[in-house]
Amino acid sequence: QMMKHAWDNYKRYAWGLNELKPISKQGHSSNLFGNIQGATIVDALDTLYIMEMKEEFKEAKEWVEKNLDFNVNAEISVFEVNIRFVGGLLSAYYLSGEEVFRKKAVELGEKLLPAFNTPTGIPWALLNIKSGIGRNWPWASGGSSILAEFGTLHLEFVHLSHLSGNPVFAEKVMNIRKVLNRLDKPEGLYPNYLNPSSGQWGQHHVSIGGLGDSFYEYLLKAWLMSDRTDEEGKKMYYDAVQAMETHLIRKSSGGLTYIAEWKGGLLEHKMGHLTCFAGGMFALGADGAPKDKTGHHIELGAEMARTCHESYDRTSMKLGPEAFRFDGGVEAIATRQNEKYYILRPEVIETYMYMWRLTHDPKYRQWGWEAVEALEKHCRVDGGYSGIRDVYNNHESHDDVQQSFFLSETLKYLYLLFSEDDLLPFEHWVFNTEAHPLPVLHKDDGNTEENQK
Ligand code: DMJ
């Protein structure tokens, strides 16, 4: 019902545009997609499919066939377009078998290739898909590319090579690994900024939340998606978790485990909502953990889930803030006005879903249900679902955006949390960072590590 409400309103007021403004009941366009259109449609395809919303899936597919157009003069975010559009199209293809999605995914992948034309092969953040000219975000330290952006292409690009028979996509992302492995890492940590021309790190700022997050997620998932043959991805992941444990993961005096941010050796005791995905990641990676650490990684996932649940529970609306702190006498609470918003993000529910699947502890469904009730009470409006400006206030001030990831991630993870484990089982599927399921490339089907390269 939630998906239907979000979808029907998008269809009514913003059909074909990127996102919906549910209060003003019109389209919303973000410059992340340039003038590529239809982000909500492409992001929602697999959720519609999984929820068996057949009519809606059919009209979404027809829109893609007739209107999804990449021959536009647009400067786009390579990362956002990859995770939402390429990821969304790939999943829609693998679930439905409809050729149009495969064709569009490969066509878009080809448009993204000029982003890798840099001296190191580390891609630009922004690319004009008509001219093929790339550049980086003007705010990024020392002209750098961003770890969570260039590090979150791997899964989709391996599948693009798999589906097109063209090795170039996989070669591009394997080269990113090569560059990273040649570099010295401060305390074994990966800074968020890397200059694509010099191949040197920018500012030594390390985060498992924004700017860093999904790079770590993709190391683990690359290994899982390769049917556990990608030993390099595996090693990079577990080494990185070891460094996080030593340098970033701390326990508050009230007993809450959190992941701090690291700035040139100093810790900022702040955790972003984005960082909450890591609970699910630790649990998902538990059974491959070296030295009998399986139980420890599950425990780490459980502790993160608890901390993130507390960040929700300590607000008036029972929805979590964008960032919360463990300093100045507070724990798991946002102290700065500009960190008190909630934009329908999925990460906490994502972690509940992984924890539920991997432990079957009923508290994760309970916590997921609390989030459903809070979303219904505070974010649901006549025209769809909206983010909230201050979750500590008793009265909603809506931000008037229904993010496309609400349909692709938040609602999908909620649905999976209350489904049986055999719906998209983890042995056969990995979720990209936008919750688009991609199949594991099983060895038995001739997908050796060599072939995948
Ligand atoms: C999504 O686009 C993805 O989950 C990404 O990894 C982080 N930001 C949003 C959701 O919060």
Side-chain angles (χ1 to χ4, degrees):
Q1 290 304 315
M2 292 172 83
M3 181 66 181
K4 186 136 180 59
H5 184 67
W7 177 261
D8 285 350
N9 279 291
Y10 165 76
K11 189 176 151 193
R12 188 166 309 131
Y13 300 117
W15 185 244
L17 303 173
N18 279 327
E19 289 173 317
L20 164 70
K21 284 164 91 70
I23 306 281
S24 32
K25 300 184 173 166
Q26 59 187 35
H28 171 72
S29 50
S30 141
N31 55 5
L32 299 172
F33 315 118
N35 48 10
I36 297 183
Q37 297 295 329
T40 295
I41 298 179
V42 178
D43 237 0
L45 280 164
D46 53 8
T47 309
L48 295 171
Y49 191 91
I50 292 159
M51 294 185 181
E52 297 177 53
M53 295 171 68
K54 297 198 172 127
E55 260 314 296
E56 291 83 351
F57 181 80
K58 192 164 153 263
E59 62 203 7
K61 185 192 129 197
E62 282 166 9
W63 186 90
V64 169
E65 265 162 352
K66 293 200 189 103
N67 301 294
L68 184 60
D69 183 12
F70 306 126
N71 293 312
V72 287
N73 184 2
E75 187 180 58
I76 50 104
S77 154
V78 174
F79 160 77
E80 295 289 353
V81 165
N82 176 60
I83 65 169
R84 302 192 203 207
F85 284 84
V86 179
L89 290 165
L90 288 172
S91 290
Y93 171 68
Y94 280 115
L95 290 169
S96 71
E98 298 280 359
E99 175 65 10
V100 59
F101 299 127
R102 189 191 70 86
K103 239 181 77 215
K104 293 270 180 194
V106 175
E107 187 196 326
L108 180 54
E110 284 165 356
K111 292 264 176 202
L112 298 181
L113 288 174
F116 294 83
N117 293 339
T118 64
T120 55
I122 295 290
W124 300 111
L126 299 166
L127 177 74
N128 182 305
I129 54 172
K130 181 153 190 246
S131 67
I133 294 175
R135 64 179 177 119
N136 274 337
W137 298 105
W139 48 261
S141 154
S144 293
S145 303
I146 305 292
L147 183 69
E149 297 198 323
F150 65 77
T152 310
L153 304 169
H154 199 101
L155 305 183
E156 296 81 1
F157 275 54
V158 166
H159 270 289
L160 285 175
S161 279
H162 182 73
L163 286 181
S164 66
N166 183 350
V168 68
F169 302 103
E171 283 163 11
K172 297 290 182 200
V173 291
M174 290 314 289
N175 175 62
I176 296 178
R177 289 249 190 105
K178 217 181 273 159
V179 174
L180 289 171
N181 279 326
R182 275 201 301 260
L183 280 165
D184 275 342
K185 285 165 272 302
E187 311 286 359
L189 298 166
Y190 292 83
N192 292 336
Y193 300 102
L194 180 61
N195 187 300
S197 303
S198 66
Q200 298 301 311
W201 300 117
Q203 239 170 51
H204 282 191
H205 175 190
V206 176
S207 164
I208 314 304
L211 308 184
D213 48 10
S214 40
F215 160 69
Y216 303 96
E217 175 185 355
Y218 271 34
L219 293 175
L220 171 65
K221 290 181 176 175
W223 173 59
L224 295 173
M225 199 179 84
S226 70
D227 207 5
R228 306 185 180 223
T229 60
D230 176 359
E231 291 295 329
E232 181 182 55
K234 177 183 186 188
K235 179 169 179 356
M236 288 170 80
Y237 172 71
Y238 290 106
D239 286 353
V241 173
Q242 186 56 54
M244 285 176 212
E245 292 215 57
T246 312
H247 300 286
L248 308 178
I249 301 184
R250 295 290 179 265
K251 200 171 234 167
S252 70
S253 48
L256 295 178
T257 302
Y258 62 96
I259 313 185
E261 309 234 331
W262 190 89
K263 292 189 169 159
L266 295 178
L267 284 188
E268 189 180 7
H269 298 273
K270 159 190 163 184
M271 192 166 144
H273 192 288
L274 290 165
T275 321
C276 287
F277 89 97
M281 177 179 74
F282 293 142
L284 181 66
D287 79 345
K291 299 192 210 132
D292 299 330
K293 284 206 164 163
T294 300
H296 173 68
H297 281 223
I298 287 273
E299 190 45 36
L300 208 51
E303 288 180 21
M304 295 281 305
R306 184 161 84 92
T307 299
C308 293
H309 175 255
E310 285 302 315
S311 80
Y312 275 48
D313 206 45
R314 294 176 187 195
T315 70
S316 329
M317 293 192 185
K318 307 291 174 198
L319 290 167
E322 180 67 5
F324 44 93
R325 299 198 173 245
F326 296 86
D327 57 16
V330 304
E331 298 201 353
I333 289 180
T335 49
R336 303 186 184 185
Q337 196 51 40
N338 63 359
E339 293 174 346
K340 295 184 178 173
Y341 63 90
Y342 172 69
I343 56 167
L344 305 173
R345 285 198 193 280
E347 291 77 16
V348 176
I349 291 164
E350 174 181 350
T351 279
Y352 296 162
M353 190 280 293
Y354 281 102
M355 292 309 303
W356 162 257
R357 281 258 177 123
L358 296 162
T359 68
H360 291 136
D361 183 331
K363 77 176 172 225
Y364 298 113
R365 279 189 164 170
Q366 226 169 289
W367 290 352
W369 196 251
E370 288 171 14
V372 167
E373 288 181 325
L375 285 164
E376 289 299 277
K377 186 159 175 210
H378 301 291
C379 300
R380 187 184 179 115
V381 292
D382 274 357
Y385 288 87
S386 167
I388 297 282
R389 289 210 176 85
D390 181 353
V391 289
Y392 296 91
N393 210 307
N394 289 318
H395 300 285
E396 297 94 11
S397 167
H398 289 120
D399 70 4
D400 199 14
V401 183
Q402 179 175 284
Q403 305 278 346
S404 77
F405 54 68
F406 182 65
L407 292 88
S408 72
E409 294 197 70
T410 313
L411 294 179
K412 186 188 288 126
Y413 285 136
L414 277 171
Y415 189 76
L416 292 175
L417 174 62
F418 292 99
S419 298
E420 298 301 321
D421 296 353
D422 60 2
L423 180 60
L424 300 174
F426 291 168
E427 308 92 84
H428 299 304
W429 297 91
V430 295
F431 293 89
N432 91 338
T433 195
E434 189 79 0
H436 295 305
L438 299 171
V440 170
L441 295 167
H442 287 293
K443 290 188 280 248
D444 316 344
D445 305 333
N447 297 303
T448 60
E449 193 183 359
E450 268 321 297
N451 286 347
Q452 284 175 39
K453 279 181 194 158

